């Protein structure tokens, strides 16, 4: 079948497509950046450099692969290559950490808003309870009311007794039976 000009060609990919935005790539970059910032990495790198320099300085001339006369060019290139990869990996790890921090800050902000609204609600409820308690008779209030009523009753009884006595005295005076 002849290919038409208005139909795009189908191209075969020879290499698989790598998703560089995937979570796995980010985790690997973070792991490398995290490891390259440890004392263990510095010790390993120092040992590697000392072995490299020692080998290429004191090994027999035929076994040396990076000459000291040339300034250890291969070692310099390897360390430059390592540094050129380490810097972007560290930046990638920092960007991912910034994204996590942003999400955490947003979650903290939402939690703080909820806590504030819950606190305001509880404050309103407590204020309502205080107002309701002001309308409720407390034990001290009831005691004072009973005490007042009792005093009123006792005063009433005293007045009644005084009236009785005065009435009895006047009755006795009229009869003349009672001498003062």
């Amino acid at each position: 079948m002849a290919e038409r000009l208005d139909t795009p060609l189908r191209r075969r990919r020879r290499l698989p497509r790598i998703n560089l935005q995937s979570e796995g790539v980010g985790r690997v970059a973070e792991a490398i950046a995290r490891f390259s910032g440890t004392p263990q990495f510095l010790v390993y790198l120092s040992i590697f450099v000392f072995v490299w320099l020692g080998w290429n300085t004191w090994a027999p001339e035929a076994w040396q692969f990076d000459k000291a006369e040339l300034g250890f060019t291969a070692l310099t290139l390897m360390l430059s290559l390592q540094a050129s990869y380490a810097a972007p990996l560290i930046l990638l790890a920092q960007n991912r950490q910034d994204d996590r921090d942003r999400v955490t800050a947003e979650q903290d902000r939402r939690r703080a808003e909820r806590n504030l609204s819950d606190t305001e609600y509880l404050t309103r409820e407590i204020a309502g309870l205080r107002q309701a308690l002001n309308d409720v008779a407390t034990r001290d209030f009831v005691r004072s009311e009973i005490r007042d009523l009792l005093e009123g009753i006792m005063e009433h009884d005293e007045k009644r007794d005084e009236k009785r006595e005065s009435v009895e005295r006047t009755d006795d005076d009229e009869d003349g039976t009672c001498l003062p």
Side-chain angles (χ1 to χ4, degrees), residues 125-138:
E125 288 297 313
I126 289 172
L129 286 173
R130 283 185 178 166
Q131 287 178 344
L133 283 176
N134 285 338
D135 296 339
V136 173
T138 63

Side-chain angles (χ1 to χ4, degrees), residues 3-125:
E3 292 185 27
R4 298 180 46 184
L5 291 177
D6 61 345
T7 305
L9 292 175
R10 292 186 183 183
R11 295 184 185 176
R12 291 184 196 167
R13 291 192 182 142
R14 294 178 187 214
L15 296 175
R17 177 170 263 189
I18 299 172
N19 182 6
L20 298 177
Q21 299 296 326
S22 71
E23 185 67 22
V25 173
R27 274 191 252 120
V28 168
E30 284 180 339
I32 292 170
R34 201 172 292 122
F35 177 70
S36 66
T38 63
Q40 185 179 13
F41 172 77
L42 292 174
V43 168
Y44 290 163
L45 184 62
S46 297
I47 290 171
F48 173 79
V49 170
F50 286 133
V51 167
W52 184 288
L53 292 174
W55 180 268
N56 288 300
T57 302
W58 295 306
E61 184 91 15
W63 291 358
Q64 293 179 3
F65 50 87
D66 191 17
K67 307 289 183 189
E69 299 87 39
L70 300 175
F72 300 108
T73 308
L75 178 63
T76 305
L77 288 173
M78 279 184 22
L79 292 176
S80 296
L81 182 65
Q82 183 270 335
S84 68
Y85 275 100
L89 287 173
I90 290 169
L91 289 173
L92 177 63
Q94 281 180 330
N95 288 342
R96 287 174 51 86
Q97 185 62 45
D98 288 344
D99 291 342
R100 280 194 296 272
D101 291 345
R102 196 174 304 113
V103 168
T104 302
E106 179 65 24
Q107 289 172 347
D108 289 346
R109 186 186 62 77
R110 286 183 188 154
R111 191 174 302 116
E113 286 177 356
R114 267 185 303 200
N115 287 343
L116 179 63
S117 66
D118 289 348
T119 303
E120 288 173 348
Y121 171 76
L122 290 173
T123 303
R124 287 190 302 272
E125 288 297 313

Side-chain angles (χ1 to χ4, degrees), residues 143-178:
R143 282 183 181 168
S144 68
E145 290 295 312
I146 291 173
R147 194 175 303 121
D148 291 344
L149 287 172
L150 185 59
E151 287 174 2
I153 292 171
M154 290 174 75
E155 286 176 9
H156 179 67
D157 287 347
E158 286 176 6
K159 287 181 185 178
R160 187 187 65 206
D161 289 344
E162 285 176 6
K163 282 183 184 180
R164 261 192 212 159
E165 285 177 10
S166 69
V167 168
E168 286 176 2
R169 265 191 238 138
T170 54
D171 285 345
D172 288 341
D173 286 342
E174 289 176 2
D175 294 342
T177 57
C178 182

